[in-house]
Amino acid sequence: MNDNHFKFSTAVIGLPIIFVLFLWIVYWVQIRFDFDFYQNGIYPRDFSGLQGVLFSPFIHENLNHLYNNSIPLLVLLAALQFFYPKQSFAVIACGILFSGLITWIIGRENYHIGASGLIYVLVSFIFFKGIQTRYYRLVALSFAVVLLYGGMIWYVFPDVDQNISWEGHLAGFITGFVMSLFYKTPEYAKPIVYDWQKPDFDPNEDAFMKHFDENGNFVNTEIPEEDSEIVSSYFNSNISVNYIITNLKSKDESL
């Protein structure tokens, strides 16, 4: 493959800015009109709490909570849109949906709000997908994500900080990993040039590979028995042949 798949577009900047701007607008509406959006968060194992699967990523407790989520979202959404433009919208939508459902199943009986679950989806997806593609630029992106946000992995465990939704973090991390397996990126796969690169290649049936033994040494292939009988028929015969040898010199003297 080549690097022509990496094309900058306005969506690389527009998507993260619009998404984060919407989060700030929701928070402004919340404090400006004194709305209690917390009731719209995820409340585990409660039917009315299912609404939070869709609404919770856009609700934040305070300005510090919103700010801490905004910066990673700007970086990760831009990286997702630039390197995985065909999968970006599906990853965001399915990431919000499935991470929210997992949180609803495993979470504590409390309201879970914030976009941190989506952040963990993006970190997990970008990291694992880059490793799976084995393409050097995407692998480098995976390591960059580890350097920037690798410390976040500790917040998927319950004993680190009881004041955060570690269930939402864990749900996002699992969702991102599963989606990295589900969403294929054939545009980054290496083109198949030789027969031995094909998944159904059988070296035992390849004419060239038959010239090598199990240790990789070149060997002369033997002629099959049926072919040897055919070849030998050209040189063997059951008809007797009698040769008469004459002396040409004596014949000339008689003339």
Side-chain angles (χ1 to χ4, degrees):
M1 65 156 293
N2 52 49
D3 295 335
N4 292 333
H5 296 287
F6 303 127
K7 295 181 179 180
F8 181 83
S9 65
T10 55
V12 175
I13 301 298
L15 175 63
I17 289 179
I18 292 175
F19 191 93
V20 172
L21 181 61
F22 182 74
L23 299 184
W24 283 83
I25 292 174
V26 171
Y27 182 73
W28 178 82
V29 171
Q30 177 179 321
I31 61 175
R32 175 66 177 81
F33 300 100
D34 197 24
F35 287 148
D36 187 9
F37 287 151
Y38 303 115
Q39 304 295 323
N40 300 108
I42 298 174
Y43 197 86
R45 295 172 297 281
D46 183 86
F47 183 76
S48 62
L50 278 174
Q51 63 178 323
V53 172
L54 298 178
F55 298 143
S56 63
F58 309 101
I59 305 171
H60 291 82
E61 181 180 4
N62 51 48
L63 191 61
N64 187 55
H65 186 203
L66 176 60
Y67 174 78
N68 289 335
N69 285 342
S70 297
I71 302 302
L73 282 173
L74 288 172
V75 176
L76 294 170
L77 286 174
L80 179 70
Q81 181 61 33
F82 182 74
F83 291 98
Y84 303 99
K86 296 181 180 179
Q87 297 82 15
S88 60
F89 288 99
V91 169
I92 295 171
C94 295
I96 291 175
L97 177 62
F98 289 108
S99 65
L101 287 175
I102 296 175
T103 303
W104 184 81
I105 295 173
I106 68 174
R108 291 165 290 177
E109 292 185 355
N110 200 349
Y111 286 103
H112 298 256
I113 59 175
S116 57
L118 177 59
I119 293 175
Y120 276 80
V121 170
L122 298 176
V123 169
S124 179
F125 177 84
I126 293 174
F127 172 75
F128 288 111
K129 196 70 217 177
I131 299 299
Q132 293 164 18
T133 59
R134 299 181 182 179
Y135 181 60
Y136 73 100
R137 286 201 171 187
L138 298 180
V139 173
L141 174 64
S142 297
F143 287 123
V145 168
V146 171
L147 291 175
L148 290 174
Y149 304 110
M152 294 171 53
I153 189 63
W154 299 111
Y155 294 98
V156 303
F157 300 106
D159 296 332
V160 176
D161 190 346
Q162 292 293 332
N163 295 323
I164 62 174
S165 176
W166 64 267
E167 300 95 331
H169 298 170
L170 178 61
F173 189 82
I174 294 173
T175 302
F177 172 70
V178 173
M179 288 195 300
S180 72
L181 300 175
F182 180 78
Y183 288 106
K184 305 300 180 181
T185 52
E187 63 271 22
Y188 297 135
K190 293 183 179 180
I192 296 178
V193 180
Y194 305 102
D195 291 338
W196 53 266
Q197 294 177 312
K198 297 178 180 178
D200 59 346
F201 174 74
D202 186 3
N204 296 323
E205 300 297 330
D206 185 73
F208 178 74
M209 294 300 295
K210 291 181 179 179
H211 290 281
F212 298 89
D213 60 14
E214 58 183 6
N215 297 321
N217 300 318
F218 180 81
V219 293
N220 291 324
T221 56
E222 298 180 356
I223 300 176
E225 294 182 359
E226 296 180 357
D227 295 342
S228 62
E229 292 178 359
I230 296 174
V231 172
S232 63
S233 65
Y234 288 99
F235 303 96
N236 299 326
S237 177
N238 295 325
I239 301 175
S240 59
V241 179
N242 297 321
Y243 296 93
I244 301 175
I245 302 175
T246 59
N247 191 336
L248 296 178
K249 184 178 180 180
S250 61
K251 185 177 180 181
D252 292 338
E253 292 176 352
S254 63
L255 294 175

